[in-house]
Amino acid sequence: QVPLVESGGGSVQAGGSLRLSCAASGAIDSSYYMGWFRQAPGKEREGVATIGRDGTTTYGDSVKGRFTVSKDNAENILYLQMNSLKPADTAMYYCAADRRQLTYGGSWRDPNALERWGQGTLVTVSS
């Protein structure tokens, strides 16, 4: 069973919206912290948004005020509502989970050190 499955990606015009979902399997229980990363062609994977077990949210600087992360704890589904999309938001978006917080000391943890990843969902924003 794949532990994390993303969906909701697609192609939109600048200014549009998309909502991504990440369904976590039973292997990812409530002890895990979850969040979103993205990777554009030729660039490193970067943190986008994460939500703590107490509901505290953290966002990457480039998406603050435009993206909203939320979690349905009953269904164990992580969401990312993306509004006012820009061409610079074009990337593969990945869901990640780890038993540690995805940020540490004000910075995102090294993506290579995180326990679980989804397969990604592509978001393309045209101008």
Side-chain angles (χ1 to χ4, degrees):
Q1 188 177 18
V2 180
L4 298 170
V5 179
E6 302 97 332
S7 60
S11 297
V12 295
Q13 290 192 324
S17 298
L18 282 174
R19 188 193 194 201
L20 305 184
S21 299
C22 173
S25 72
I28 308 297
D29 60 26
S30 60
S31 68
Y32 279 79
Y33 294 87
M34 293 178 66
W36 294 94
F37 284 72
R38 68 184 182 185
Q39 188 166 19
K43 295 189 176 181
E44 294 185 348
R45 196 167 294 192
E46 64 172 353
V48 175
T50 183
I51 185 166
R53 293 188 292 211
D54 61 354
T56 302
T57 55
T58 302
Y59 296 93
D61 289 341
S62 61
V63 306
K64 285 179 181 177
R66 300 188 298 120
F67 290 11
T68 303
V69 62
S70 61
K71 189 169 183 282
D72 182 331
N73 289 317
E75 298 293 330
N76 212 11
I77 299 175
L78 183 72
Y79 297 100
L80 184 68
Q81 178 66 43
M82 305 186 296
N83 298 328
S84 302
L85 283 161
K86 306 175 181 179
D89 295 317
T90 295
M92 187 71 80
Y93 284 72
Y94 297 92
C95 180
D98 197 284
R99 279 169 283 195
R100 303 163 298 172
Q101 293 186 43
L102 302 194
T103 58
Y104 178 76
S107 299
W108 293 92
R109 288 192 187 273
D110 181 352
N112 294 317
L114 300 182
E115 289 185 51
R116 303 279 192 172
W117 289 95
Q119 82 288 352
T121 186
L122 181 62
V123 172
T124 303
V125 184
S126 58
S127 57

